[in-house]
Amino acid sequence: MIYAFILPTTSHLPIAQHYSSTSHPSLPFAASTRRSVVRDVLKRHKRLPPSSQPAHLPVVLSVLTDYLPYILALSPSILSSPTSTSGPISITTLTSAPPLILEWRPTLTGPPPALSHPLRLKFRDASTALAYELRFILSTIACVHSLLALSSLSSTTASAASSSPFPDASAYQRATKHLLTAASLHTYLASLPPPSSPPPPAAASSPSKAPSESQTTLPTDISPTLHTALRHLSHACATLLTVAKDDPYPIPLTTLQTATSHLIPTPAPIPSAIRAHLLARLCLASSTHASNAHALLSSLQRPQSAPPPASLPLYARSLATAARARACRFLAIDCERTGEVGKALGWLGGARFYLNDHGSCSGGRPSIAGLGRTKDKLMGRIKSGGGADVTAGTADPNDRSHSPAAVEAMVVESLREKWTRANDAIFVQTIPPPESLLGSLPEGREVCSVPKWEVPCLSAETLRELQLGGDHDGVRDLDGGGGGGGGGGTGGYQDVLRGNQGDDSSEDDGDTGDAGNEAGASYF
C-alpha cells in the first residue's frame, strides 16, 4: 500500500568553485566533498538491480542526511531558522568562476506532452541554484523514507507468508515512523518560500540544446502542490498501516493460497464492536487524505507542463478506494459477529460498490462480476510466488490486479462467498441495499499526527573545524579538479568514492554536460 518511488539522479556540482565563505573557509569544500558522494551513491543506486536496491537504501539515507546540514548552512537565506548556533555564516558567490550548471533528472514527474524522452532540469543561476539543490535533496530524503517503509512492510509480509500468518507489529511501527518522517519533510518543502528569482529554463532535449521556453514557476518535482499531495499520501498510508497491523485477513488469506506454504492459518480474531467501528473511522480518515492527494495530483496534469507519472494519481485513487472499502468491511465484520449476516452482506455490497467505481484504473468501468475476475488473477499471482509484494501493495499500481484496491477486493470477495453460503443455508436474512447503509458511514478519525521537521544544524565542533583553513587538494580531486592530497576530515569519503568510481568506471551512461564545469562529466 506504499508507492514505490524512483530516486532521482544529479550532475556534478563543484560547490567550492562557485561559493566561498569568509567566516568558515572550509565549508564550501566540505560541502563539495559530500555532494560528490551523494551524486555517486544516487548513480550507484540507480544501476543496482531492483532486488538489491532495498538493502542499499540505508546507505543512500546516511549520505543524504550527512550532506543536508552543509547545504542548509550554505543557503541560510531561504530558511526561517538559523543553521548555526555559533554565529552567522557568510556565503559569497564567486563571479569569476566558470558558468554554473546544476542538473537534476526528476522522477516524480514525466516529460511534457511534446517530449518522449526523460526530462532534465537545468539551473544556471548561482544565486538561486542552492535553493533548488536543497529542495531536491529534501525531496529525495522523503522518497528514501517512503521506500524504507515499503521495504520494511515487504519483508514483514514475506516472513509472514513463510513462518506465521500474523504480521510483525514492530515492522509496521517502523514503517509508520518512516512514513510520518516523509510526511513532515513534504510539509516542510511545501512551506518553503519561493526563490528570489524565477528558475532558469528546463532543458529536456539534450544537455547541449537550450530550451525554447523559460520556466516561470517551480518545477513540478519541487512544487508546493506536489509535496502537499505527497504529504497527504504519506499520511494516508501511515493511517492505513495503523489499521493493517490489526487486520488479520489479507496475510492469512495470502498464506492459505500460496502453493509453497504448508501452514494452515488460525481463525481470524473478530474485533469487538467498539474496535471495529474505530478501525472503520481510521480507514475513512485515510481515504480522505488519499482523496485530497488524488485531487492535487490531478490538478498538476496540465498541458505544456511536466505532469506526475500516470501511476501516481491512479495509485492515490486506488488507495482512497481501498481505504473506504475497508471501512465498509470492518462494519460488515461487526454485523456478522452479532449474527446480522444479511446486514453484513449489505456492507460488503457497499465495499464492492466503491471497488467497482475504481474500474477506471483498467481503462473502463467494469461490472460487479469483474471483481471476481480480479480476485482470480490476484490469486494466480500469489500461487506463482508473488504473494508478499501483492499483499504489501508494492507492485505496479498501473495494473488493477496489483493495486491496493485489488488486495481489498480479494478479501471482500472471500468474505462475501463465505457469508453468502452461510446466509443461504442457515440464516436466510434479507440483504439490505448498499445505498441504504452507505449514508450512515461515520466520520473519519485521525490517529497519526505529522511531526514538525527539525532543521538539522552543524555541531559546534564541526563549525570550529570549518572556520580553520587548510589544504583542500583532496576536495578538488573528488570534484574532478585537481591533484592528490587530503583535505581535513574527508578521508572516509575519498575511500567511498574510490571504491564506487572503480566499480562504475565502465558503466558510463553516456550523458555529458554543457561546456564549462560539466565538460567530460558523466552523471545520471
Side-chain angles (χ1 to χ4, degrees), residues 12-27:
H12 171 65
L13 177 63
I15 296 177
Q17 294 183 14
H18 297 87
Y19 304 94
S20 65
S21 175
T22 56
S23 60
H24 299 76
S26 297
L27 177 59

Side-chain angles (χ1 to χ4, degrees), residues 339-343 345 419-432:
E340 298 178 279
V341 180
K343 189 175 181 180
L345 288 171
W419 293 350
T420 298
R421 288 194 299 267
N423 190 51
D424 292 344
I426 302 174
F427 297 98
V428 195
Q429 296 179 4
T430 303
I431 302 176

Side-chain angles (χ1 to χ4, degrees), residues 325-357:
R326 186 171 296 188
C328 294
R329 172 164 64 84
F330 280 120
L331 296 175
I333 291 173
D334 177 55
C335 292
E336 193 272 340
R337 183 187 62 85
T338 59
E340 298 178 279
V341 180
K343 189 175 181 180
L345 288 171
W347 278 116
L348 289 184
R352 286 161 60 84
F353 170 79
Y354 288 123
L355 294 169
N356 181 64
D357 185 61

Side-chain angles (χ1 to χ4, degrees), residues 11-51:
S11 66
H12 171 65
L13 177 63
I15 296 177
Q17 294 183 14
H18 297 87
Y19 304 94
S20 65
S21 175
T22 56
S23 60
H24 299 76
S26 297
L27 177 59
F29 296 94
S32 187
T33 301
R34 286 157 177 80
R35 214 279 181 176
S36 298
V37 180
V38 167
R39 168 185 171 268
D40 189 79
V41 169
L42 288 176
K43 183 174 67 173
R44 187 175 181 83
H45 182 83
K46 173 190 174 184
R47 291 171 174 173
L48 289 174
S51 59

Side-chain angles (χ1 to χ4, degrees), residues 197-453:
S197 61
S205 55
S206 66
S208 59
K209 188 175 180 179
S212 58
E213 295 182 4
S214 62
Q215 191 174 358
T216 58
T217 59
L218 281 173
T220 308
D221 262 55
I222 54 177
S223 66
T225 302
L226 178 66
H227 286 286
T228 302
L230 294 180
R231 189 257 297 176
H232 281 295
L233 202 58
S234 299
H235 199 172
C237 290
T239 304
L240 211 54
L241 281 186
T242 306
V243 177
K245 67 181 181 182
D246 295 325
D247 188 355
Y249 283 103
I251 290 179
L253 186 60
T254 303
T255 306
L256 185 63
Q257 297 293 335
T258 304
T260 58
S261 176
H262 302 288
L263 293 173
I264 299 178
T266 56
I270 301 176
S272 63
I274 297 177
R275 184 69 176 171
H277 279 264
L278 174 61
L279 294 177
R281 293 183 64 187
L282 297 182
C283 290
L284 291 172
S286 176
S287 176
T288 301
H289 284 296
S291 298
N292 292 337
H294 176 259
L296 290 169
L297 291 170
S298 299
S299 68
L300 292 173
Q301 295 180 327
R302 302 182 300 269
Q304 306 301 326
S305 64
S311 58
L312 191 55
L314 292 181
Y315 170 81
R317 185 182 179 188
S318 174
L319 188 65
T321 300
R324 192 163 287 270
R326 186 171 296 188
C328 294
R329 172 164 64 84
F330 280 120
L331 296 175
I333 291 173
D334 177 55
C335 292
E336 193 272 340
R337 183 187 62 85
T338 59
E340 298 178 279
V341 180
K343 189 175 181 180
L345 288 171
W347 278 116
L348 289 184
R352 286 161 60 84
F353 170 79
Y354 288 123
L355 294 169
N356 181 64
D357 185 61
H358 183 62
S360 60
C361 278
S362 58
R365 183 182 180 88
S367 63
I368 290 292
L371 294 179
R373 292 192 295 271
T374 299
K375 175 196 168 187
D376 294 339
K377 185 176 180 181
L378 191 62
M379 290 302 185
R381 175 170 171 79
I382 291 173
K383 290 180 179 179
S384 64
D389 62 327
V390 170
T391 308
T394 63
D396 184 5
N398 279 318
D399 190 341
R400 175 177 165 79
S401 65
H402 297 167
S403 64
V407 178
E408 185 61 29
M410 175 184 67
V411 180
V412 169
E413 287 300 303
S414 299
L415 291 178
R416 187 185 67 86
E417 293 173 2
K418 175 184 175 182
W419 293 350
T420 298
R421 288 194 299 267
N423 190 51
D424 292 344
I426 302 174
F427 297 98
V428 195
Q429 296 179 4
T430 303
I431 302 176
E435 293 79 4
S436 63
L437 299 174
L438 294 179
S440 61
L441 279 173
E443 294 183 357
R445 176 178 176 178
E446 298 289 351
V447 67
C448 299
S449 59
V450 178
K452 181 181 178 180
W453 184 69

